[in-house]
């Protein structure tokens, strides 16, 4: 029956042969070919020059001219078929100028083996490319498309996939607004590559956001996240585990613009770099906990640091500092040097860091998050301690409304005002009156 053959790539040997100069393939236009009735379906075949064979290249004027000039006297056609899919055919010719005899059955056997192996390689490339595209699209859809506007920090995040077309990892970053004008910054890495790593990254990102809404401390949040990873691994049974062989790394940081402190906890994740307004860049010396899912019940500790207003805080995954030519210590030293020398907007600073630290085709994917800290002074903050008495709710509402009304504070886009209230754990003897809140 008639078939469609799509030329994909030409090759002439030796390269110095004048025939190679005439190689005008590939072309996207399919060529119709009707094989001989005696040829079994899906089988390779040899044939001499016949009107049927000559009609095949005649559909391509450039190829027809080449055939008329060189007059190939023998053709060998082998199907490219792998895993039940027809990928095309491989066509071998011997021009009249060549002293080689016509193709024989022995040549056919060699061509069939070559075509079979080539078909498997082509199909593998198609599969890897398709899986990489799906994983990358999935990962990009699960990463934050737009970072939220808030008063605590100015942020710039970027995800950079690996240079290899078969690699799409589980690196992630996120920015989560919290109560009291605070903000949480998260970076993490799921071991492994492909669709599984990208899907796992999305699941953990949603889990972190849910736990952040409960307003947990960084160490408590990572402990709950480890319990979740362990449960998910137990539910997966014999399927691929979330933690993998190396676990899941995560760094969770909370910045408070009122106290100007940053509280962090790390689960086997590289320490962030703090760049002060004076230009000094140092690693924050926080204790590193075990990877999520492989901790074995070991505690994750929390550290707090005072951060001057206008400082840079750089969070990143290991793909930024580790490669085949340097370890994590050397990479972090290079990162400190780059950040200390860069002054400018956050986006350009982040782009300079990526361009300086990474090769043209990095072996691992990278997530980086750079934040410039802001501060709220006493004139921009109102604090109210409430006793454990439901009767004060109305009075507290009136107090908050009075301080957030028009003309009460000077509100600007760069320096918004915030009020916060805390509920006292010890019941008070008497509930405050509305006049007490005036």
């Amino acid at each position: 029956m008639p078939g469609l053959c799509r030329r994909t790539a030409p090759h002439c040997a030796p390269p110095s042969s004048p025939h190679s100069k005439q190689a005008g393939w590939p072309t996207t236009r399919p060529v119709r070919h009707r094989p001989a009735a005696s040829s079994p379906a899906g089988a390779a075949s040899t044939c001499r020059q016949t009107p049927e064979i000559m009609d095949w290249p005649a559909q391509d004027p450039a190829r027809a001219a080449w055939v008329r000039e060189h007059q190939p006297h023998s053709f060998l056609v082998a199907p490219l078929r792998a895993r039940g899919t027809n990928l095309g055919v491989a066509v071998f010719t011997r021009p009249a100028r060549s002293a080689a005899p016509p193709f024989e059955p022995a040549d056919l056997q060699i061509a069939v083996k070559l075509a079979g192996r080539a078909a498997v390689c082509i199909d593998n490339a198609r599969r890897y490319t398709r899986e990489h595209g799906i994983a990358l699209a999935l990962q990009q859809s699960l990463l934050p498309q737009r970072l939220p506007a808030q008063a605590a920090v100015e942020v710039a995040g970027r995800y950079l996939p690996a240079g290899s077309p078969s690699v799409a990892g589980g690196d992630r970053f996120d920015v989560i607004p919290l109560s009291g004008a605070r903000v949480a910054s998260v970076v993490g890495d799921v071991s492994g590559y492909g669709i599984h790593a990208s899907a796992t990254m999305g699941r953990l990102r949603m889990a972190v956001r849910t736990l952040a809404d409960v307003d947990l401390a960084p160490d408590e949040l990572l402990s709950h996240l480890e319990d979740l990873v362990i449960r998910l691994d137990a539910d997966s049974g014999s399927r691929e585990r979330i933690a993998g062989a190396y676990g899941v790394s995560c760094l969770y940081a909370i910045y408070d613009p009122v106290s100007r402190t940053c509280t962090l906890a790390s689960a086997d994740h590289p320490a962030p770099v703090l760049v002060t307004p004076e230009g000094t860049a140092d690693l924050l010396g926080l204790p590193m906990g075990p990877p999520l899912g492989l901790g074995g019940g070991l505690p994750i500790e929390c550290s707090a640091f005072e951060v001057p207003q206008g400082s840079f805080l750089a969070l990143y995954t290991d793909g930024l500092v580790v490669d085949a030519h340097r370890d994590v210590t050397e990479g972090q030293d290079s990162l400190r040097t780059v950040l200390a020398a860069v002054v400018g907007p956050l986006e350009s600073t982040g782009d300079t860091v990526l361009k300086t630290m990474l090769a043209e085709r990095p072996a691992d994917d990278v997530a980086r998050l750079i934040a410039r800290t802001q501060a709220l002074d006493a004139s921009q903050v109102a604090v109210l301690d409430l006793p454990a008495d439901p009767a004060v709710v109305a009075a507290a509402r009136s107090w908050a409304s009075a301080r957030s009304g028009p003309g009460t504070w000077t509100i600007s886009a760069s320096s918004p005002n915030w009020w916060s209230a805390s509920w006292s754990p010890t019941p008070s003897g008497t509930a405050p009156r509305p006049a007490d809140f005036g």
Side-chain angles (χ1 to χ4, degrees), residues 187-222:
V187 290
D189 188 3
V190 177
S191 62
Y193 301 100
I195 298 177
H196 175 78
S198 299
T200 300
M201 178 272 293
R203 298 172 72 181
L204 294 181
R205 177 176 178 252
M206 293 299 103
V208 170
R209 281 186 160 268
T210 302
L211 293 172
D213 288 340
V214 188
D215 213 355
L216 298 175
D219 53 340
E220 295 178 357
L221 184 142
L222 292 184

Side-chain angles (χ1 to χ4, degrees), residues 280-339:
T280 60
D282 295 302
L283 292 171
L284 293 182
L286 68 160
M288 184 178 295
L292 301 178
L294 302 178
L298 296 176
I300 298 177
E301 301 181 19
C302 194
S303 299
F305 301 88
E306 185 175 352
V307 180
Q309 181 180 1
S311 299
F312 284 89
L313 192 62
L315 288 70
Y316 53 92
T317 55
D318 58 357
L320 183 64
V321 295
V322 179
D323 58 27
H325 306 289
R326 66 187 178 198
D327 58 19
V328 62
T329 302
E330 296 173 341
Q332 288 176 329
D333 290 341
S334 300
L335 179 60
R336 290 172 50 214
T337 302
V338 172
L339 287 172

